[in-house]
Amino acid sequence: MRYADTRLGIVCPVANEQATLAAFVGEVLAVCDGFAFADVKLFLIVDNASTDNTLDLARELADATPAVCCVWAPDNRSVADAYRRGYREAIQASCDWILEIDAGFSHRPEDIAPFFKHMAAGKDCVFSSRFARGAHFPKSALFRYLVSRGGTALVNRMLGTTLTDMTGGFECFTRRALQDILATGIHSAGPFFQTEIRYHARHSNYAEVPIHYAAPSHTIRTTAIGEALRGVWRLYRGRRGEV
């Protein structure tokens, strides 16, 4: 499918990805062959969370490939800061669609195409789901599965949302939809910011697509779970008109 006159921005924070970054970038850009080459920008957001040679490699990829932009962001203090910086870069570049994806192949580039099809059909937002029919979640990540599935059930119950996956990333927005979501205020500094985004998009014209998810190696910290629970309670109180 061709996407004439559509500018695509891809936001991808990267940290300690030197082993897989070049292959990942190549596969992501290969999926974007429906766009004019000049209309694709892949923003690699690198900050001090990366301690290997990822920054140097990202700069080399940017020098070699016009579609790649290396964004050095040493002021970032969290993963949410990295994504917000990427969003700003894509918005300032006047991208029509903004795709968010994790590096390291936890999100598969071959799962991107359905996002574009839904966007071309007029959706404001397209969200990945690790739990919808046709999705895959690795059996080796049972604890992560239980936390994510349980978190989704809790959020849907308390906040009135209906997505099958409220705790994941990998999503696509129109520029206007993303600007509207960000304008509501995203308060979390941790992974819960993804849930906040999906909550604030609950009234938009959205779709879900199943993905094959490969869980990253790091574990879920209890501090992140605690922050998520506080975040759910804050949004619940706001929905109830108490704050």
Side-chain angles (χ1 to χ4, degrees):
M1 184 178 292
R2 310 302 297 178
Y3 305 102
D5 302 321
T6 300
R7 292 177 58 85
L8 173 68
I10 305 170
V11 174
C12 184
V14 292
N16 302 322
E17 309 285 356
Q18 65 178 14
T20 60
L21 185 59
F24 182 79
V25 166
E27 291 191 25
V28 168
L29 293 179
V31 179
C32 301
D33 60 354
F35 298 84
F37 190 70
D39 288 336
V40 177
K41 291 296 180 184
L42 171 55
F43 299 97
L44 301 177
I45 315 301
V46 193
D47 55 35
N48 288 316
S50 189
T51 57
D52 64 2
N53 293 322
T54 294
L55 176 60
D56 292 337
L57 179 54
R59 286 172 170 165
E60 291 174 7
L61 292 169
D63 288 341
T65 309
V68 177
C69 301
C70 176
V71 180
W72 169 234
D75 294 335
N76 288 352
R77 294 294 178 265
S78 66
V79 63
D81 284 348
Y83 276 106
R84 278 191 285 255
R85 175 61 185 273
Y87 298 153
R88 291 197 300 270
E89 294 287 337
I91 289 169
Q92 290 170 6
S94 298
C95 295
D96 301 302
W97 298 348
I98 300 169
L99 175 74
E100 164 200 315
I101 187 171
D102 288 348
F105 293 101
S106 59
H107 296 153
R108 303 190 316 170
E110 57 262 45
D111 286 336
I112 292 175
F115 288 80
F116 297 156
K117 291 180 180 178
H118 282 291
M119 294 297 292
K123 297 298 183 182
D124 298 319
C125 314
V126 182
F127 299 110
S128 71
S129 175
R130 298 163 294 175
F131 310 119
R133 183 183 298 275
H136 171 74
F137 201 113
K139 294 180 180 179
S140 59
L142 179 60
F143 179 69
R144 181 179 290 272
Y145 174 90
L146 294 174
V147 169
S148 298
R149 197 68 186 263
T152 291
L154 176 65
V155 170
N156 284 340
R157 180 66 179 270
M158 292 187 67
L159 303 183
T161 47
T162 58
L163 288 171
T164 64
D165 190 347
M166 284 294 295
T167 66
F170 200 0
E171 44 212 11
C172 194
F173 313 88
T174 64
R175 181 173 69 250
R176 177 60 182 273
L178 181 57
Q179 288 175 312
D180 287 347
I181 291 167
L182 296 177
T184 64
I186 305 299
H187 299 283
S188 176
F192 184 73
F193 87 97
Q194 299 283 16
T195 301
E196 287 191 84
I197 285 175
R198 296 187 179 207
Y199 172 71
H200 291 306
R202 67 193 183 282
H203 298 310
S204 65
N205 179 20
Y206 65 79
E208 279 190 290
V209 297
I211 63 167
H212 283 226
Y213 177 68
S217 59
H218 62 268
T219 58
I220 302 175
R221 297 180 179 178
T222 55
T223 54
I225 296 175
E227 187 216 19
L229 292 173
R230 290 189 295 273
V232 172
W233 181 244
R234 172 174 48 80
L235 293 177
Y236 175 76
R237 291 177 63 204
R239 180 171 177 250
R240 300 281 294 179
E242 297 176 6
V243 293

